[in-house]
């Protein structure tokens, strides 16, 4: 077991994996996808700068929220490449999620509130379920479950 020293400027794949809680294979995947980067030693071993820990934490948290990797990559591209990102840099890119997260929260709240009766009784009765859509009236509003996705 390798430990990342508190004052280490770089980390091996194993050190970064242990410290971040992300499997080495996931770190290599993130690198292939352009989410993180490393330099190579003369022996062709990866070395990650210490600030990669924050990027990995950001990636994992974003994934848990259901944010697609392409969107995560796009936002990470807003961080400076010539220096370690500052707290202000992180705050700026975190704002990119605010509107999307608010929309997701509202959708989840509607889902929770509208499915309570159906989940509770198990009947999925279309004549009294607030999610039912007789004669497909909501099709004029667009595809998908309109009552759950519209504000």
């Amino acid at each position: 077991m390798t430990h990342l020293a508190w004052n280490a400027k770089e980390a091996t794949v194993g050190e970064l994996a242990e410290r971040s809680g992300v499997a080495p294979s996931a770190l290599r995947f993130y690198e292939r996808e352009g989410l993180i980067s490393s330099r190579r030693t003369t022996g062709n071993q990866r070395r990650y700068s210490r600030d990669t820990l924050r990027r990995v934490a950001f990636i994992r948290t974003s994934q848990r929220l259901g944010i697609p990797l392409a969107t995560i990559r796009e936002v990470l591209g807003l961080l400076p490449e010539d220096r370690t990102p500052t707290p202000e840099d992180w705050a700026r890119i975190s704002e990119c999620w605010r509107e999307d997260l608010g929309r997701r929260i509202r959708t989840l709240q509607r889902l929770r509130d509208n499915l309570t009766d159906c989940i509770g009784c198990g009947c999925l009765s279309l004549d009294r379920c607030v999610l039912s859509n007789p004669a497909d009236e909501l099709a004029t509003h667009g595809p998908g479950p309109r009552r759950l996705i519209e504000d």
Side-chain angles (χ1 to χ4, degrees):
M1 189 177 272
T2 59
H3 294 288
L4 181 60
W6 68 270
N7 60 349
K9 300 217 184 291
E10 292 186 320
T12 65
V13 172
E15 290 168 338
L16 185 61
E18 180 183 4
R19 180 65 182 88
S20 67
V22 175
S25 59
L27 294 173
R28 289 187 290 272
F29 172 75
Y30 291 162
E31 190 170 350
R32 278 193 311 274
E33 292 295 311
L35 300 166
I36 62 175
S37 62
S38 68
R39 73 169 185 87
R40 297 299 180 118
T41 66
T42 55
N44 203 31
Q45 295 176 332
R46 288 177 169 89
R47 292 294 184 268
Y48 298 95
S49 63
R50 188 168 187 95
D51 63 276
T52 304
L53 278 169
R54 283 193 182 160
R55 287 180 183 259
V56 171
F58 183 83
I59 294 164
R60 289 191 66 194
T61 301
S62 301
Q63 285 182 299
R64 284 189 190 127
L65 297 173
I67 297 170
L69 283 179
T71 304
I72 297 168
R73 181 185 316 102
E74 184 178 307
V75 171
L76 285 173
L78 300 174
L79 289 175
E81 292 184 27
D82 58 337
R83 63 175 169 78
T84 299
T86 64
E88 292 78 20
D89 293 325
W90 286 108
R92 182 174 41 83
I93 69 163
S94 294
E95 280 297 313
C96 295
W97 299 153
R98 186 169 300 282
E99 185 178 326
D100 184 48
L101 290 176
R103 189 172 30 260
R104 288 169 187 262
I105 288 167
R106 290 188 300 276
T107 298
L108 288 171
Q109 287 172 331
R110 278 194 305 278
L111 179 62
R112 177 202 61 209
D113 295 345
N114 292 331
L115 287 180
T116 300
D117 288 339
C118 292
I119 292 171
C121 72
C123 73
L124 299 174
S125 173
L126 293 181
D127 62 344
R128 55 179 220 133
C129 179
V130 297
L131 297 177
S132 67
N133 182 19
D136 199 18
E137 297 164 0
L138 295 174
T140 59
H141 296 274
R146 302 315 307 171
R147 286 189 176 119
L148 293 179
I149 60 178
E150 288 181 353
D151 287 330

